[in-house]
Every structure is written in structure tokens, then in C-alpha cells.
């Protein structure tokens, strides 16, 4: 129940922004483009074809580069 609540809450961009502001180091938080924050599917296959699963995965940009933030 806790995991589902957390995923549902993080789907709201306002909640996600507040959470990231509270927990990311200040310099990293200021580098993340929060306007481009997009929630992604929870499981994915990386470059070496290994499947991974996370609680919440966001796609965004950090200093103009595509980046992913995942929460476990």
C-alpha cells in the first residue's frame, strides 16, 4: 500500500518537485529542469539488456542533457 501511495503522489508534478527540492542536494536540484520532468514506466531495459525496476522513474534534463532520476 505504501509503494502505491508513493507512486501515485509522485505522479503529481507539484508533489514531485517538492519532494525533489527536499531531498536532492541543492546544487543538483537547481540543475534539474523541472519543467521537463516526465514520469516514466517503472521497469526498463538498460544498454546491456538488463531489466531493472524502480519505484518511480523520471525523465528530465540536467544542464541541457537528457537525464533520469529514479527513486527506490
Amino acid at each position: 500500500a505504501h509503494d502505491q501511495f508513493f507512486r501515485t503522489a509522485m505522479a503529481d508534478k507539484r508533489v514531485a518537485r517538492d519532494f525533489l527540492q527536499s531531498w536532492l542536494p541543492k546544487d543538483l536540484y537547481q540543475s534539474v529542469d523541472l519543467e521537463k520532468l516526465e514520469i516514466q514506466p517503472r521497469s526498463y531495459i538498460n544498454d546491456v539488456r538488463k531489466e531493472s525496476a524502480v519505484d518511480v522513474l523520471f525523465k528530465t534534463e540536467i544542464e541541457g542533457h537528457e537525464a533520469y532520476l529514479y527513486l527506490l
Side-chain angles (χ1 to χ4, degrees):
H2 175 267
D3 289 347
Q4 183 60 41
F5 171 79
F6 186 72
R7 284 191 294 274
T8 301
M10 289 298 110
D12 183 326
K13 280 190 179 184
R14 295 170 300 170
V15 173
R17 287 179 186 135
D18 287 347
F19 179 86
L20 295 172
Q21 183 178 21
S22 294
W23 292 100
L24 288 178
K26 185 178 179 180
D27 57 332
L28 178 57
Y29 176 78
Q30 292 174 339
S31 299
V32 175
D33 187 339
L34 297 172
E35 294 302 316
K36 294 189 177 176
L37 199 63
E38 297 176 22
I39 199 157
Q40 300 292 298
R42 292 182 51 222
S43 64
Y44 61 95
I45 299 176
N46 65 20
D47 292 339
V48 292
R49 302 287 183 223
K50 281 187 140 181
E51 185 173 6
S52 298
V54 298
D55 291 330
V56 178
L57 177 65
F58 292 107
K59 180 179 176 183
T60 188
E61 287 187 6
I62 297 176
E63 297 182 352
H65 300 281
E66 184 178 273
Y68 291 86
L69 301 173
Y70 60 94
L71 307 175
L72 301 173

